Amino acid sequence: MDHRSPSPPLDELAALARKIRGRVVEMSHAAKTPHLGSALSCVDILVAAYWGALRIDPAQPLDAGRDRFLLSKGHAATALYATLACRGFFDPQLLDRFNCDGGTLAEHPSLQCVPGVEAATGSLGHGLPLALGMALAQRIRGPRFRSFVLMSDGECEEGTVWEAALFAAAQRIDSVLAVVDYNKWQATGRSNEIMALCPLAEKWRAFGWSAHELDGHDLGALRSALTALPDGSGKPVALIAHTVKGKGISFMEDDNNWHYRIPTGDEVQAARRELGLADAPLATSQLPSPPAPLPKGEGTSP
Amino acid sequence: MRNAFAAAVTELAATDPRIVVLSGDIGNRLFDAFRAKFPDRFYNCGVAEANMTGMAAGMALCGLRPFTYTITPFGTTRVLEQIRVDICYHNVPATIVGTGSGLSYASLGPTHHSLEDVAFLRCLPNMTVLCPADAAEVHAAVAAVLTLPGPAYIRLGKKGEPPVHRQRPAFVIGRGITVRPGSDVCLLGLGTMVATAVEAAALLQERGVSAQVVSVHTAKPLDEDLLRECFARFALVAVVEEHSRIGGLGAAVAQWLAAQNPYPPARLLGFAAPDVFLHESGSQGYFRKSVGLTADAIAAEVLRAYGQGSGQARS
């Protein structure tokens, strides 16, 4: 695929990130769904990937040569849905039907539930093995593409992550990049207290990966790091993105209550003001009539 | 059976460029021919079965036809969630191949026994469960899964099993194969037990009871046409399987039978492993004998039940 993502200037990227954060907060409120802090912490990573790094074309979501992006931390689905809608993969009106009975957008994504969702995730530790399989497939049969995986730090406690890390290094799979959204929290506490993750970048290096640490909210740094794949080392790449859970909303930042808390209507308005978004009626009770169902995804593309 | 699998996958890969073999660090020398011919399509995935299974799903999502191969409990039970989510939920054509199924690796101890795998995999949506009876059926099963749109499990024994078929049988997923015709009772054999069922049928013949033997190589989807015919034609139907009595073919047939209206008059017998771990050391033959999975034991019980039910047994 020749198509490259548009690469808007950084202030436009920042505006997109604010818009997506606002949508994520609204969706959590409207659908009464948790994991808001986890979704907010990875928005900048998604924006940098989808506007600049990924070789994708929303008009051809099943193109065989597209880069694959797997949201292995599936509990951040609202951030992925809002990003894909904003990027043109589907009608943003569909976000109003998030988590509705009989809808297509569940709290954890399923394969091709909307165009652009490359895998069903929600059980942690599945994305990296899937991405390695995709990487081997393009190595064996082509066409060439790259595979990106977004994981949480808590997810790095899963054994499958390290099984995959060992295999990828042995096979020198340099077309795979894993981003760890290192917000230092997991569901019930500090990730470094519950399990000894620290030093995380050194662990990935010890497993044979090319590991880089960066500020997971620095859109420019993220875009550069994501674009530079393969990175020339011949190794798979791990980006340890230092992030803040609940990023962007002052009263949610680094407060793990927002792993499960649902924002009230007032909190949504306060969040929107902080994000510089105009006051808007909440997309809750007066839902528009459901949009026409999307064409069913083909599921796989050879 | 494992040699037959290696031969089949090697033969088929010559014309099907989608085929990839992933091994969980077993099969020393087994895949030498495959590796020599298709070095870019064989990966030893190490002692990391969950990653192997997830990678198979990723490959299948990109249009390949991967086979994962390792000892049955490690390729099924250990990685059940990868099979459930990555392969079955995605509904992709990856095939799990388990070797040493049932009590085939009995002497290795209960960690290597697999008497629950059919139950675990049968209940997963989209999954097809194949239990070939001999080398010929293994070859046919490998070819057949390449036509499926979704996942499959192929349950192998070890090597050197007696042939059940003289020539390669017509093999259709979901259709049992009659191995030996009969008129009084019917033995439905699953995979590794079909040969024993044939032996039992010969013993029954000596006692004047004519036993039909069917290789029910597909544990899921169930061959309901076959069951309707069997329960209409025979006074007694017996399921013979090297698997727990919970969740295997016998349980599937019993569930089907319970829902029939009118309820067929034929009696159902089940020959399966009990719901226990087998703690002793011993060979496959030893354990089969201890749980009643021998031709002698099967013939004797069928004779007893058939005699009770119909009064036709001439002994």
Side-chain angles (χ1 to χ4, degrees):
Chain A
M1 177 180 276
D2 293 330
H3 191 93
R4 272 189 169 275
S5 294
S7 202
L10 289 179
D11 57 336
E12 281 182 37
L13 283 193
L16 282 165
R18 285 196 298 274
K19 182 177 164 190
I20 288 167
R21 283 196 165 90
R23 208 67 189 83
V24 163
V25 174
E26 287 172 349
M27 288 164 77
S28 172
H29 168 78
K32 306 263 181 289
T33 58
H35 301 129
L36 182 49
S38 313
L40 290 170
S41 76
C42 65
V43 167
D44 298 306
I45 298 165
L46 287 162
V47 168
Y50 279 89
W51 283 269
L54 293 173
R55 294 166 192 160
I56 47 166
D57 179 359
Q60 300 177 66
L62 294 176
D63 184 283
R66 70 192 183 278
D67 280 347
R68 303 316 198 258
F69 186 94
L70 306 180
L71 181 76
S72 196
K73 49 171 288 184
H75 53 290
T78 51
L80 178 67
Y81 296 152
T83 299
L84 290 173
C86 206
R87 185 69 174 82
F89 278 89
F90 60 90
D91 182 352
Q93 262 205 340
L94 198 58
L95 297 176
D96 295 337
R97 297 268 299 149
F98 168 60
N99 207 32
C100 286
D101 289 347
T104 51
L105 301 177
E107 284 188 52
H108 293 93
S110 62
L111 176 64
Q112 298 293 340
C113 58
V114 282
V117 176
E118 301 281 7
T121 50
S123 177
L124 297 172
H126 286 247
L128 196 52
L130 286 171
L132 297 185
M134 293 172 173
L136 291 180
Q138 59 92 39
R139 183 185 275 187
I140 292 167
R141 274 195 99 190
R144 290 303 166 111
F145 59 81
R146 304 170 304 166
S147 304
F148 297 78
V149 183
L150 176 54
M151 302 190 294
S152 70
D153 48 348
E155 181 173 8
C156 291
E157 296 165 11
E158 292 281 5
T160 48
V161 171
W162 302 104
E163 285 189 11
L166 290 169
F167 181 86
Q171 297 294 336
R172 301 183 70 79
I173 300 177
D174 64 358
S175 64
V176 166
L177 183 149
V179 191
V180 181
D181 175 10
Y182 195 6
N183 62 32
K184 321 296 187 296
W185 287 106
Q186 56 195 87
T188 61
R190 285 284 182 199
S191 50
N192 278 316
E193 292 171 6
I194 292 167
M195 298 285 263
L197 287 177
C198 194
L200 193 52
E202 283 178 37
K203 284 189 174 64
W204 286 92
R205 283 186 201 112
F207 274 68
W209 286 53
S210 178
H212 312 282
E213 297 191 66
L214 76 173
D215 176 352
H217 303 301
D218 181 337
L219 288 160
L222 281 168
R223 187 164 65 183
S224 302
L226 290 164
T227 306
L229 177 71
D231 75 350
S233 66
K235 298 175 180 178
V237 178
L239 296 184
I240 310 303
H242 292 279
T243 56
V244 175
K245 197 160 179 172
K247 175 72 178 179
I249 320 294
S250 62
F251 54 91
M252 296 182 189
E253 286 191 357
D254 207 34
D255 177 356
N256 209 35
N257 284 316
W258 291 97
H259 191 88
Y260 291 117
R261 252 200 76 180
I262 314 293
T264 63
D266 287 344
E267 285 166 337
V268 174
Q269 296 298 5
R272 288 186 60 88
R273 278 193 295 276
E274 283 197 16
L275 292 164
L277 304 170
D279 278 358
L282 295 175
T284 48
S285 46
Q286 294 133 356
L287 288 176
S289 54
L294 289 169
K296 198 120 181 103
E298 294 300 316
T300 62
S301 66
Chain B
M1 285 194 209
R2 63 188 188 218
N3 293 338
F5 168 69
V9 81
T10 306
E11 181 188 315
L12 291 161
T15 52
D16 191 337
R18 304 170 304 169
I19 291 177
V20 179
V21 173
L22 305 177
S23 159
D25 200 38
I26 66 156
N28 189 29
R29 314 301 311 262
L30 186 64
F31 295 109
D32 280 1
F34 187 97
R35 299 174 76 154
K37 288 184 182 165
F38 316 107
D40 59 329
R41 288 197 271 154
F42 178 90
Y43 284 92
N44 183 344
C45 298
V47 192
E49 296 84 2
N51 180 55
M52 172 171 75
T53 307
M55 290 202 305
M59 290 178 164
L61 278 165
C62 295
L64 296 182
R65 291 276 177 160
F67 291 81
T68 67
Y69 179 86
T70 188
I71 300 173
T72 301
F74 316 143
T76 58
T77 314
R78 183 186 184 95
V79 298
L80 193 58
E81 203 201 44
Q82 276 69 31
I83 298 174
R84 174 176 175 267
V85 175
D86 301 344
I87 293 179
C88 289
Y89 184 25
H90 286 145
N91 195 15
V92 288
T95 300
I96 313 298
V97 181
T99 190
S101 305
L103 294 166
S104 297
Y105 288 170
S107 61
L108 294 172
T111 54
H112 288 57
H113 298 172
S114 67
L115 295 168
E116 315 90 7
D117 51 307
V118 172
F120 290 144
L121 271 65
R122 199 167 63 83
C123 69
L124 296 176
N126 298 325
M127 179 58 91
T128 294
V129 178
L130 300 180
C131 307
D134 66 358
E137 283 195 13
V138 169
H139 199 291
V142 174
V145 298
L146 293 170
T147 67
L148 286 175
Y153 168 47
I154 300 180
R155 184 182 205 244
L156 304 180
K158 44 186 177 182
K159 63 176 183 178
E161 285 89 351
V164 168
H165 304 282
R166 289 211 181 86
Q167 56 209 19
R168 198 170 288 181
F171 185 101
V172 178
I173 288 173
R175 294 271 182 81
I177 303 172
T178 299
V179 174
R180 172 190 168 115
S183 53
D184 297 326
V185 301
C186 183
L187 307 181
L188 303 177
L190 183 74
T192 52
M193 290 311 294
V194 175
T196 306
V198 171
E199 280 180 55
L203 295 174
L204 287 166
Q205 193 67 52
E206 291 171 8
R207 306 296 296 272
V209 174
S210 168
Q212 177 150 313
V213 178
V214 180
S215 168
V216 184
H217 50 70
T218 307
K220 181 191 175 183
L222 209 53
D223 186 350
E224 297 192 14
D225 290 341
L226 170 79
L227 295 181
R228 265 188 289 276
E229 191 203 322
C230 287
F231 280 89
R233 260 189 68 200
F234 297 99
L236 185 150
V237 176
V239 175
V240 187
E241 57 188 327
E242 200 171 17
H243 187 275
S244 167
R245 60 185 63 255
I246 298 174
L249 181 63
V253 171
Q255 187 177 14
W256 173 86
L257 185 61
Q260 297 309 299
N261 185 15
Y263 197 81
R267 172 149 182 220
L268 172 64
L269 277 189
F271 295 93
D275 178 28
V276 295
F277 289 106
L278 304 168
H279 288 284
E280 300 164 273
S281 62
S283 65
Q284 184 177 26
Y286 171 80
F287 281 120
R288 280 187 173 183
K289 193 170 179 187
S290 78
V291 301
L293 285 173
T294 60
D296 284 341
I298 293 163
E301 180 60 19
V302 168
L303 209 55
R304 196 186 61 75
Y306 182 63
Q308 275 178 355
S310 66
Q312 286 170 14
R314 281 167 244 155
S315 61

